[in-house]
Amino acid sequence: MKKFINDPADVVAQALRGLAAAHPELRVDTEEQYIVRADAPRAGKVGLVLSLIRISDGGFVGPGMLDAACPGEVFTSPVPDQILAATKAVDGGAGVVHIVKNYTGDVMNFQLAAELAADEGISVETVLVDDDVAVEDSTWTAGRRGTGATLLVEKITGARAEEGGKLGEIAALGREVNAASGSFAYALTAGTTPAAGRPGFDLPADEIEAGVGIHGEPGRRREKLRPAKDLVHSALDAILDAKSFTGPVIVLVNGLGGTPLIELYLIYGEVAAYLGERGVSIARQLVGNYVTSLDMAGMSLTLCQATDEMIRLWDAPVRTPGLRWGA
Amino acid sequence: MKKFINDPADVVAQALRGLAAAHPELRVDTEEQYIVRADAPRAGKVGLVLSLIRISDGGFVGPGMLDAACPGEVFTSPVPDQILAATKAVDGGAGVVHIVKNYTGDVMNFQLAAELAADEGISVETVLVDDDVAVEDSTWTAGRRGTGATLLVEKITGARAEEGGKLGEIAALGREVNAASGSFAYALTAGTTPAAGRPGFDLPADEIEAGVGIHGEPGRRREKLRPAKDLVHSALDAILDAKSFTGPVIVLVNGLGGTPLIELYLIYGEVAAYLGERGVSIARQLVGNYVTSLDMAGMSLTLCQATDEMIRLWDAPVRTPGLRWGA
Amino acid sequence: MDATLARDWMRAAATAIAADTDRLTRLDAAIGDGDHGVNLHRGFTAVVAALEKSPPETVSEVLVKAGTTLISRVGGASGPLYGSALRAAGKALPATAEVQPSDLVAALHAGLEAVRRLGGAAPGDKTLIDAYGPALDAFEKAVAGGAGLAEAAGAAASAAEAGAEATVPLQARKGRASYLGKRSIGHQDPGAASTSLIFQALAEVA
Amino acid sequence: MDATLARDWMRAAATAIAADTDRLTRLDAAIGDGDHGVNLHRGFTAVVAALEKSPPETVSEVLVKAGTTLISRVGGASGPLYGSALRAAGKALPATAEVQPSDLVAALHAGLEAVRRLGGAAPGDKTLIDAYGPALDAFEKAVAGGAGLAEAAGAAASAAEAGAEATVPLQARKGRASYLGKRSIGHQDPGAASTSLIFQALAEVA
Ligand SMILES: Nc1ncnc2c1ncn2[C@@H]1O[C@H](COP(=O)(O)OP(=O)(O)O)[C@@H](O)[C@H]1O
Ligand SMILES: Nc1ncnc2c1ncn2[C@@H]1O[C@H](COP(=O)(O)OP(=O)(O)O)[C@@H](O)[C@H]1O
Ligand SMILES: [Mg+2]
Ligand SMILES: [Mg+2]
Ligand SMILES: [Mg+2]
Ligand SMILES: [Mg+2]
C-alpha cells in the first residue's frame, strides 16, 4: 500500500487536524471527531447532521449545506457518542435532521444516537438516503444503499434550513429528494483502506465491477470493460428502469476518488447525449469527485427528478470547502 | 488500461464536448479545440490564455480567472493554430497575456503563436511559469518546470485583469507571482495516458518518485516510501532552500489526480505544523486536486510568498468550474 | 462465573480477535467492506482497557461495560450489534458476585434478542446470528442436561464454529453482503466467524 | 529529386513512424512523457493526407506544406521543431520542378539551423540534433565526393542511426529528459530515433 499517511491507525484523526487547519471557518472537535460550522448552534435554525464515513464529506459542512458531519473510521459508520455530540453542537432549539445513508451500521448507530438525543430533549428527524438502484429493494437485501443522492439531499435541505424551514418540512423535503433520485456506479479498480493495506478486491485488467457502493465493496456483478458510452447507457437504463424520470433532472456525474476529470467530462458528454435521446431534460448538472470511496477509480451517475423548488434550492448560495457558489 | 473512454484517439475531443455540455457559461470550440468565457472578447479587458494540456485546467476559465484555455492532446502542448484562435477569441483590444508553463514544447508553440498574433496586430505578453524547485535551473536543463504556481498566477492575474489592469501590469504581476513561488512533487504511482495504454513507468510497491512534474514523467530520483510527515518536511525544505520565504505565504496542497482528499488534508496538517516550526506564516491555503497529471497518485506542495496585493487578488471573486468563490 | 472470570473471557476474546484480525478483515473484504477485523480489534482493545481501568465487581457490570464500550468505540454494524448484545446480556443477569450457568442461558437469550431487534435478521440470513443461535442452543441444552460452565461453553464453541462454517453456502439477506446478491454465496460471514471466536474464548477460560 | 519523390519520402517516413510508434513512445516514456510516437504518428498521417489532398508541384512546396502541417497538428516539442525544420528546408530550395543533391545540402542546413534557433540545443545535448547533425555531415560529404542522391541518402541514414545510438550514454540537457538529470543516461533519445527513421525513409525511396 502506498499512501501519504503516517500511521494507518491514525489517518482519520490526522486528516481531521489538517481539515481544521485548512478551514478555520469550520470547528473541528478532534476529541469527539466531528466537524461543525463555526457559527453553530444558530438559535432557531434546524441543524443538519450527516452520517459520514469519508473526510471528503466534511467538505460539505458550511452555510447552505450541512451544520455538522462526523467521520467514523475509514468505511465504518460513526459511533453514537460522536453523533450525539455533533447533534448537541448544532441544535439551536429547532431540532436536528440526521441524514443517514442506508447501511446497516449507519442506521443502527444513528438510531442509538437519536434515542440518546431524545433523552436529552432534542427533536431528531431522520432522512434515510437509499438511491442506489443497483441493489434490489427487497426482503432479500438490507435495502438500497445511500450514494450520490446524499449530496443532493444535503444541498437542497441545507438551503431550505438556511432560509428558516421547520424541522418537519426539512425532513419531508429530504425524503422527497431521496425518493426522486436514483444512482448507479461502476468501479475500474478497488480502493485500499489504510488499515487493510491492500485493495479490497482483485480485478483482472479487462474487468470492472458493476453496481458498486461507496465503501469499497465489490458490485452486483463483474463485467468486461466496455466503452464509456456503453457503460453510461447501461447505468442510465438501470436508473430509468427503476425510476421513471422524464425530467427536468439534476445530474451528478461523480468520480469515486481516483478518476480524473477528463474522464468524468467525457462521461458527462455521453450522459447529456443519451438523456436527450431518451427525452429526459436536464435542469442542472455537477461533474467531479464528490461522493468518493478513497482512491477507487470509478464513477457513479445520479439523476434527481427535480421540482422547481428543488432547483431553486439547488441554485441557492452554498459555502463549504467541497461545494461553493453564490457566496 | 482501464479508463472511462471510448477511443484512445478521441479522448480530448470527447471530453471537451462533455465540458461544453456541462458548462454552458463557457464556449467550447471543438473544431479548433479551445475553451473561452462565453462573454469573450470583452472590449478593453486584457485576455488571459493558458497553455493547457489537461482538461481539468479548462476548469479555470471564467470571470476572475482565465479568458481561454487550449488543451493539446494528452500531455502534449497545444499547436500554434489553436493558441492563435484562442488569442483572437479573447482579444478585446487591450492585448493578451499568454501564461505558459516552462516546457520546451509549450514555449515553442506559444512563441510561434505569439508571432502569428503579432502579425495580426494583437499585442501579446508572455508569462513563463517555472516554479518547480526539483529541477535545477541551469544550462544543464531546460530550466525549471511550471507546475502548481500556474494556478496562483492564473488566479491573481485573472483577478487584476477583471479589475481593468493593463497588459504590461498584468504580465509584470504574473512574473512577480511566479518568482515568488516554489513547488515540489512526489508520485506514488505513474499515470496512464490513453494513447500509451500503460503506466508511464513502473514503480515497486515500496518506492516513490521524488521531484516529478505534471506530465507523467519520472522524477529526479527514486526513493523509499516514507511517512507523509517526512515527505512534507523534505518537500518544504527543498522549496525553502531554493527560495527564502518567510511568509506570509499562500499554500497549495495539490493532488496529482488520483489522490483522495483524506490524504491531502492529512498532508496539509503536516504542512501547517512544519511551516509553523520554520517560522513561515500562512496567509491562505487551498487543498485539492487542481493541477493534475491524469490518474497519477501523487501530491505537490506550492508556496507563494505573497504581498498584500496578491492576497487581495487571491480573495477576489472567481467563478470557474474548478475554482469558485465570492460569486 | 464471577467478575474475574467474565473479565478473563473478554480478555481472551480480545486476544483471539487480535490474532485473527487479518482473517476477519479478509472475510469482510470478500463480501463486505473489509473492516470487520479492524473494527472488533479496536473495540475489544478498548473493552480490555476499560475493564482494567476500573474493574467491575459483578459479571453483569462487566458485560454492560464491555457492551457500552463497544457501542461507543466500534461503529459500523458490529459495534451496535455486539455492544447491544453484551449490554442486554449483562442487564439480564442478577447483580450478584457469582452467576450460575442457568443465569447465563437467560442472559445469552437476552443478548440474541437484542441483536434480532436491532438488526432484524433471521436465522439463515448469513449474519452473526447464524453462529450465535446454534451456540446458544447448544449451551442451553448442555446446561439443561446438568453440565457445568466449562462443558456448556465447550459445546457452545463447537456449535458456533459449525454455525459459522454453515454460513458459507448461504446468500446474505442482511448487512453489506446482501448487496452482492448471489455473489455472497461461497464465503463465510465475518460476523459469524468473530462470534465463533468469542464463544471459543469463553470455552478457553471457563 | 522532384515533387513526386519528395512526397514518396514523406509517405515512407509516415509508414516507418507508424510501424515504430510504440517503440518511440516507449523511448519517450523512459525519459520523457511517453507521447513522442503518438505525436509524430498523428503529424505524419496529417502530412500524407495534406499532400494527397492537393499535391504540390515542387519539392520546396512539398516540404513547406509538410512542415506547416506538422506545426499545426503535432504540438509538443517535436511539432515546432520538425515542422520548422521542414519549412526552412523547403524555403531554402529553388522553386524548380527538380532539385539537385547540392540544393538539398543547403536545404538540410537551413532545417538544422531552424531547429537550433528554436530549441537552442547544441550537439551532445541528447536531442534530435545528435542524429540530424551527423546525417547532414555524411550527406554533405557524399555529395561533395560526387555521390548521387541515393548514395548520399544511404550515408545519411547510417550516420543518423549511429548518431541516435550514440545518444544512449549522454545526459540530456534540453527538453523534458533534462529534468531527469543523470537518470537520463542509458536511454536513447526518442527524437534522435525518429530523425533516424526519417533519413532512412529518404534512403529507401531515393
Ligand atoms: N442486520 C444484521 N443483523 C445481524 N448481524 C448483522 C446485520 N448486519 C450485519 N451484521 C453482521 O455484521 C458483520 C459486519 O460487521 P462490520 O464489518 O464490522 O460492519 P460493517 O458492515 O458496517 O462494515 C456481518 O458479517 C454480519 O455478521
Ligand atoms: N530544445 C530542443 N532542441 C532540439 N530537440 C529537442 C529539444 N527539446 C526536445 N527535443 C526533441 O524532442 C523530443 C521529444 O519530442 P516529443 O515527445 O514529441 O515532445 P514533448 O517533449 O513535448 O513531449 C526529444 O526526444 C528531443 O529529441
Ligand atoms: Mg464498515
Ligand atoms: Mg509531450
Ligand atoms: Mg465491514
Ligand atoms: Mg514527449
Side-chain angles (χ1 to χ4, degrees):
Chain A
M1 170 184 56
K2 286 195 278 188
K3 288 186 183 295
F4 293 115
I5 59 175
N6 295 311
D7 174 358
D10 213 19
V11 172
V12 172
Q14 294 190 1
L16 275 179
R17 273 200 287 279
L19 184 76
H23 297 290
E25 74 279 14
L26 302 177
R27 213 169 62 225
V28 179
D29 187 320
T30 48
E31 183 70 25
E32 296 269 11
Q33 294 216 163
Y34 64 81
I35 304 159
V36 288
R37 287 167 56 165
D39 62 355
R42 287 177 59 199
K45 176 184 179 300
V46 172
L48 294 182
V49 177
L50 176 70
S51 124
L52 138 153
I53 42 174
R54 51 194 58 72
I55 293 291
S56 56
D57 288 359
F60 305 130
V61 175
M65 214 157 163
L66 296 172
D67 290 275
C70 20
E73 289 307 311
V74 173
F75 289 163
T76 301
S77 63
V79 298
D81 308 38
Q82 231 180 314
I83 303 166
L84 177 64
T87 301
K88 284 156 81 173
V90 305
D91 179 46
V96 175
V97 173
H98 285 173
I99 300 176
V100 182
K101 300 190 189 86
N102 186 35
Y103 297 94
T104 307
D106 293 60
V107 170
M108 291 189 307
N109 285 284
F110 267 82
Q111 186 185 319
L112 295 176
E115 286 167 15
L116 296 172
D119 288 354
E120 306 206 14
I122 303 177
S123 311
V124 172
E125 285 276 349
T126 299
V127 173
L128 204 65
V129 183
D130 61 346
D131 55 311
D132 180 8
V133 303
V135 173
E136 279 168 70
D137 192 11
S138 71
T139 51
W140 283 83
T141 65
R144 289 183 164 146
R145 295 171 288 209
T147 59
T150 316
L151 181 131
L152 298 167
V153 171
E154 291 165 34
K155 171 69 186 78
I156 292 170
T157 58
R160 186 71 196 109
E162 205 68 46
E163 292 177 348
K166 296 278 161 283
L167 182 61
E169 181 202 341
I170 303 284
L173 177 64
R175 290 179 196 122
E176 192 190 345
V177 173
N178 174 62
S181 299
S183 299
F184 193 95
Y186 286 103
L188 301 181
T189 64
T192 300
T193 60
R198 57 177 172 271
F201 49 85
D202 292 319
L203 209 44
D206 60 340
E207 295 189 2
I208 63 176
E209 288 279 342
V212 296
I214 50 175
H215 303 90
E217 65 268 43
R220 294 292 288 181
R221 55 181 184 276
R222 199 162 274 197
E223 295 182 357
K224 290 283 170 210
L225 177 63
R226 292 177 286 149
K229 187 175 184 164
D230 281 17
L231 295 176
V232 164
H233 290 191
S234 298
L236 291 177
D237 285 343
I239 296 170
L240 294 173
D241 283 355
K243 314 241 171 178
S244 31
F245 297 153
T246 53
V249 291
I250 301 175
V251 178
L252 171 62
V253 171
N254 176 59
L256 295 183
T259 309
L261 265 182
I262 187 170
E263 295 175 43
L264 297 179
Y265 276 121
L266 188 149
I267 287 166
Y268 183 73
E270 300 297 350
V271 168
Y274 192 59
L275 287 180
E277 273 176 41
R278 296 217 30 178
V280 178
S281 63
I282 299 174
R284 296 291 183 274
Q285 62 281 324
L286 185 67
V287 179
N289 283 283
Y290 290 104
V291 183
T292 57
S293 187
L294 289 177
D295 53 347
M296 179 177 266
M299 65 96 168
S300 68
L301 303 182
T302 300
L303 302 184
C304 171
Q305 169 83 32
T307 61
D308 288 350
E309 174 71 351
M310 289 180 199
I311 294 170
R312 182 184 74 76
L313 292 167
W314 177 258
D315 290 341
V318 57
R319 183 181 180 154
T320 73
L323 207 66
R324 187 165 174 180
W325 55 68
Chain B
M1 169 183 57
K2 287 196 278 190
K3 288 187 183 296
F4 294 114
I5 60 174
N6 295 310
D7 174 358
D10 213 19
V11 172
V12 173
Q14 294 189 1
L16 275 179
R17 273 200 287 280
L19 184 76
H23 296 290
E25 74 278 15
L26 302 178
R27 213 169 63 224
V28 179
D29 187 321
T30 47
E31 184 71 24
E32 295 269 11
Q33 294 214 163
Y34 63 83
I35 305 158
V36 289
R37 287 167 57 166
D39 62 356
R42 288 178 60 199
K45 177 184 177 299
V46 172
L48 294 182
V49 178
L50 176 69
S51 123
L52 141 150
I53 41 174
R54 51 193 59 72
I55 292 291
S56 57
D57 288 359
F60 304 129
V61 175
M65 215 158 162
L66 295 173
D67 290 273
C70 20
E73 290 306 312
V74 173
F75 289 162
T76 301
S77 64
V79 298
D81 307 39
Q82 230 180 316
I83 303 166
L84 177 65
T87 302
K88 282 155 83 172
V90 305
D91 178 45
V96 175
V97 173
H98 285 173
I99 300 176
V100 182
K101 300 191 190 83
N102 186 36
Y103 297 94
T104 307
D106 293 60
V107 170
M108 291 189 307
N109 285 285
F110 267 83
Q111 185 185 320
L112 294 176
E115 287 167 16
L116 297 172
D119 289 352
E120 307 207 14
I122 303 176
S123 311
V124 172
E125 284 277 349
T126 299
V127 173
L128 203 65
V129 183
D130 61 346
D131 55 311
D132 181 8
V133 303
V135 173
E136 278 167 71
D137 193 12
S138 70
T139 51
W140 282 83
T141 65
R144 288 183 165 147
R145 294 171 289 210
T147 60
T150 317
L151 181 131
L152 298 167
V153 171
E154 291 164 36
K155 172 69 185 79
I156 292 170
T157 58
R160 186 71 196 109
E162 206 67 47
E163 292 177 348
K166 297 277 162 283
L167 182 62
E169 182 202 341
I170 303 283
L173 177 63
R175 290 179 196 122
E176 192 190 343
V177 173
N178 174 61
S181 299
S183 299
F184 194 95
Y186 287 102
L188 301 181
T189 64
T192 300
T193 60
R198 56 178 171 269
F201 49 85
D202 293 319
L203 209 45
D206 61 340
E207 293 189 3
I208 62 176
E209 289 278 342
V212 296
I214 49 175
H215 302 90
E217 65 268 43
R220 295 292 289 180
R221 57 183 183 275
R222 200 161 272 197
E223 294 182 356
K224 289 283 169 211
L225 177 62
R226 292 178 285 148
K229 188 174 183 163
D230 282 17
L231 296 176
V232 164
H233 291 191
S234 298
L236 291 177
D237 285 343
I239 297 170
L240 294 173
D241 284 354
K243 314 239 171 179
S244 31
F245 297 152
T246 53
V249 291
I250 301 175
V251 179
L252 171 62
V253 172
N254 177 60
L256 296 184
T259 309
L261 265 181
I262 187 170
E263 295 175 42
L264 296 180
Y265 276 122
L266 189 150
I267 288 166
Y268 183 73
E270 300 298 349
V271 169
Y274 192 59
L275 288 181
E277 272 177 43
R278 297 218 27 180
V280 178
S281 62
I282 299 174
R284 296 292 183 274
Q285 62 281 326
L286 185 67
V287 179
N289 283 283
Y290 290 104
V291 183
T292 58
S293 187
L294 289 176
D295 53 348
M296 179 178 266
M299 65 95 169
S300 67
L301 303 182
T302 300
L303 302 183
C304 171
Q305 169 83 32
T307 62
D308 288 351
E309 174 71 352
M310 289 180 199
I311 294 169
R312 183 184 73 77
L313 292 167
W314 177 258
D315 289 342
V318 57
R319 183 180 180 154
T320 72
L323 207 66
R324 186 164 174 181
W325 54 67
Chain C
M1 180 185 272
D2 62 6
T4 307
L5 184 59
R7 287 211 310 276
D8 287 348
W9 176 22
M10 292 296 107
R11 225 181 345 248
T15 306
I17 283 160
D20 270 15
T21 299
D22 209 52
R23 180 174 68 91
L24 295 175
T25 288
R26 271 178 206 271
L27 289 176
D28 195 31
I31 57 172
D33 59 353
D35 60 0
H36 188 59
V38 177
N39 284 348
L40 285 194
H41 181 44
R42 179 175 66 251
F44 274 89
T45 305
V47 165
V48 170
L51 293 177
E52 253 156 38
K53 207 171 155 208
S54 55
E57 306 275 294
T58 65
V59 178
S60 166
E61 286 168 314
V62 168
L63 298 188
V64 169
K65 177 166 257 175
T68 307
T69 305
L70 289 181
I71 289 177
S72 60
R73 295 299 290 276
V74 175
S78 51
L81 289 170
Y82 278 117
S84 301
L86 286 172
R87 273 174 62 88
K91 287 185 173 176
L93 285 174
T96 50
E98 186 103 11
V99 298
Q100 301 310 313
S102 58
D103 296 326
L104 286 173
V105 169
L108 288 172
H109 268 291
L112 180 57
E113 198 39 51
V115 171
R116 297 193 57 164
R117 209 177 330 110
L118 197 58
D125 282 356
K126 194 171 185 134
T127 70
L128 61 87
I129 281 180
D130 295 322
Y132 194 156
L136 171 51
D137 287 348
F139 190 89
E140 187 165 19
K141 211 168 285 169
V143 171
L149 179 60
E151 195 185 322
S158 306
E161 193 171 352
E165 253 150 46
T167 63
V168 172
L170 299 177
Q171 174 171 343
R173 273 184 274 198
K174 279 283 177 282
R176 225 174 265 288
S178 71
Y179 305 138
L180 287 179
K182 297 213 176 305
R183 289 180 75 185
S184 64
I185 293 171
H187 301 272
Q188 187 170 160
D189 177 63
S194 58
T195 294
S196 162
L197 288 180
I198 294 168
F199 279 103
Q200 274 166 45
L202 178 59
E204 250 170 55
V205 299
Chain D
M1 180 186 273
D2 63 5
T4 307
L5 184 60
R7 289 211 309 276
D8 288 348
W9 175 22
M10 291 297 107
R11 227 185 336 254
T15 307
I17 283 161
D20 270 15
T21 299
D22 209 52
R23 181 175 67 90
L24 295 175
T25 288
R26 271 178 206 271
L27 289 177
D28 195 30
I31 56 172
D33 58 354
D35 61 0
H36 188 59
V38 178
N39 285 347
L40 285 194
H41 180 45
R42 181 175 64 251
F44 274 89
T45 305
V47 165
V48 169
L51 293 178
E52 251 155 39
K53 207 173 155 206
S54 54
E57 307 275 293
T58 65
V59 178
S60 166
E61 284 169 314
V62 168
L63 298 188
V64 169
K65 178 167 256 179
T68 307
T69 305
L70 289 180
I71 289 176
S72 61
R73 295 301 289 276
V74 175
S78 51
L81 289 170
Y82 277 117
S84 300
L86 286 172
R87 274 175 62 87
K91 287 187 174 175
L93 285 173
T96 50
E98 186 103 11
V99 299
Q100 299 311 312
S102 58
D103 295 327
L104 286 173
V105 169
L108 288 172
H109 267 293
L112 180 57
E113 196 40 51
V115 171
R116 297 192 59 164
R117 208 177 330 109
L118 197 58
D125 282 355
K126 194 172 186 132
T127 71
L128 61 89
I129 281 181
D130 294 322
Y132 194 157
L136 170 53
D137 287 349
F139 190 88
E140 187 164 19
K141 212 169 282 168
V143 172
L149 179 60
E151 194 185 323
S158 307
E161 193 173 352
E165 252 151 47
T167 63
V168 173
L170 298 177
Q171 173 172 343
R173 273 185 273 200
K174 279 284 178 280
R176 226 173 264 288
S178 71
Y179 304 137
L180 287 178
K182 295 214 177 306
R183 288 180 76 184
S184 64
I185 293 171
H187 301 273
Q188 186 171 159
D189 177 62
S194 57
T195 294
S196 162
L197 288 180
I198 294 168
F199 277 103
Q200 274 165 46
L202 178 59
E204 251 171 53
V205 299

